[in-house]
Amino acid sequence: MGSKAKQKLPKSGQESKPLSQLLQVPAGPVSLAGFDPSATPGYVGKGKADAAGRTADLGAELSRLQEMLFANGRNDPVSAPKVLLVLQGMDTSGKGGVVRHVMGLVDPQGVALASFKAPSAIERKHHYLWRIRQALPQAGSIGVFDRSHYEDVLVVRVENLVDEAVWEKRYEEINRFEQRLVASGTKVVKCMLQVSFAEQKARLAARLDDPTKYWKYNPSDVDARAKWPAYQEAYEALLERCNTEAAPWHVVPSDRKWYRNWAIAELLRESLAGLDLSWPKPGYDLAVERDRVAKS
Ligand code: AMP
Ligand code: MG
């Protein structure tokens, strides 16, 4: 853990607030035009040049904290805390990249990933939160949602998949759902990965230029892109209406992939550190067991 001191304090003159505060959406009306997707708030390094190293350093601490969370879950499978990272963002914003880079920093057995696509026939028979509830993290683990219940006030709203009267009620319903989740011991970390319209175009074009990226391209991404203003408006609505004290929203500038990966790793590290965990005490008599091992 030799890297701990290095990343702990920013250099003098730099922001010293926790990143979660720097990226948290202020209460009140939200205009995404006021957020710069190429900004790098809270990053005190040299930029792309040292981001991979800093993120890897962060990974060591993240991994230690995650193992402690996992150990607490083993010790108390009923009431140990859980963490839920909710990732939302337009196509190419890097939800998959975050899963690969950030979740790759910790032990896979402590992480549960759920990717939400258009609902299946079975899912459509249930309430929209049904599939979400099934995927919530267990005690001691970190759940990662690649898209989430927020699609039910995003694509559903933009594409008129249900009546306005139906999606309109969902904001409050989501707030109540998340409040209960938090009250039952889940730390909820909501991140909107913000890319600019121009950067999305560059990333889509890059996918069509590289045979190893063809699979990432979906012709329907361009249809969604054509509705960019409507999606931005739908994002602004949820960032304003579901930005609760229990589960606030963060906007993560995502035009620079190195910043996005570092920022999510740091947000996760802060959340885990905030749980104030310690290593569980043994549920057996240490002296007796040491003696038994010695004699075995
Ligand atoms: P991707 O994440 O790029 O694999 O795409 C998943 C697709 O599923 C996106 O086009 C989402 O808009 C869509 N999707 C996710 N959740 C829902 C939902 N609740 N209703 C309709 N479409 C959804
Ligand atoms: Mg996609």
Side-chain angles (χ1 to χ4, degrees):
M1 237 39 53
S3 53
K4 239 162 99 182
K6 200 167 43 179
Q7 97 224 353
K8 216 175 209 166
L9 288 174
K11 294 186 190 98
S12 57
Q14 301 280 357
E15 288 281 7
S16 58
K17 274 192 199 169
L19 190 64
S20 56
Q21 276 180 37
L22 293 176
L23 299 184
Q24 192 169 319
V25 176
V30 176
S31 166
L32 279 169
F35 292 79
D36 176 4
S38 64
T40 60
Y43 190 84
V44 297
K46 295 193 193 79
K48 194 174 181 178
D50 61 358
R54 279 175 178 260
T55 305
D57 286 352
L58 209 48
E61 178 61 1
L62 201 53
S63 176
R64 188 185 73 85
L65 290 166
Q66 183 263 332
E67 189 178 355
M68 204 186 280
L69 176 65
F70 190 75
N72 275 266
R74 274 291 165 85
N75 199 49
D76 185 350
V78 177
S79 48
K82 310 125 196 148
V83 174
L84 175 63
L85 177 65
V86 173
L87 301 173
Q88 282 291 160
M90 297 295 285
D91 289 304
T92 76
S93 60
K95 301 178 292 295
V98 165
V99 169
R100 198 165 52 249
H101 287 101
V102 181
M103 303 329 294
L105 297 170
V106 301
D107 185 344
Q109 67 178 324
V111 190
L113 170 68
S115 299
F116 295 99
K117 311 287 178 193
S120 66
I122 292 171
E123 288 169 343
R124 277 200 304 274
K125 288 199 179 114
H126 291 85
H127 188 266
Y128 70 98
L129 291 174
W130 178 77
R131 64 176 184 167
I132 303 297
R133 288 197 176 95
Q134 315 262 315
L136 290 172
Q138 304 291 308
S141 45
I142 301 176
V144 181
F145 282 2
D146 172 355
R147 302 188 192 266
S148 66
H149 41 298
Y150 284 102
E151 290 295 325
D152 292 280
V153 285
L154 279 166
V155 62
V156 167
R157 169 177 163 152
V158 172
E159 299 294 344
N160 294 307
L161 301 181
V162 300
D163 288 344
E164 176 168 353
V166 175
W167 58 252
E168 179 59 36
K169 284 190 297 200
R170 292 182 174 170
Y171 297 95
E172 268 310 309
E173 192 172 35
I174 288 173
N175 287 345
R176 286 194 300 274
F177 168 70
E178 291 180 352
Q179 256 144 26
R180 280 196 297 271
L181 199 57
V182 171
S184 67
T186 302
K187 168 80 184 167
V188 179
V189 187
K190 301 190 296 196
C191 297
M192 186 250 181
L193 310 186
Q194 192 200 15
V195 277
S196 62
F197 190 62
E199 180 64 18
Q200 189 194 51
K201 183 172 191 161
R203 290 184 187 174
L204 288 172
R207 288 180 179 182
L208 294 172
D209 266 350
D210 177 352
T212 72
K213 288 186 180 166
Y214 291 166
W215 67 275
K216 290 189 187 185
Y217 182 86
N218 185 334
S220 73
D221 294 350
V222 185
D223 303 323
R225 178 173 167 78
K227 295 179 179 164
W228 186 271
Y231 273 103
Q232 297 295 293
E233 201 182 308
Y235 267 108
E236 287 167 347
L238 68 85
L239 291 172
E240 179 182 333
R241 298 177 66 180
C242 298
N243 193 24
T244 60
E245 220 167 288
W249 267 108
H250 303 86
V251 171
V252 179
S254 296
D255 271 8
R256 299 171 202 264
K257 294 177 184 173
W258 60 263
Y259 175 78
R260 175 201 70 202
N261 293 340
W262 172 82
I264 304 266
E266 173 61 11
L267 283 177
L268 209 49
R269 189 200 62 76
E270 285 177 6
S271 300
L272 288 168
L275 296 176
D276 240 347
L277 296 172
S278 47
W279 292 101
K281 302 270 175 293
Y284 47 83
D285 187 319
L286 255 189
V288 169
E289 295 307 314
R290 281 180 181 146
D291 191 48
R292 287 182 62 218
V293 171
K295 288 178 179 149
S296 63

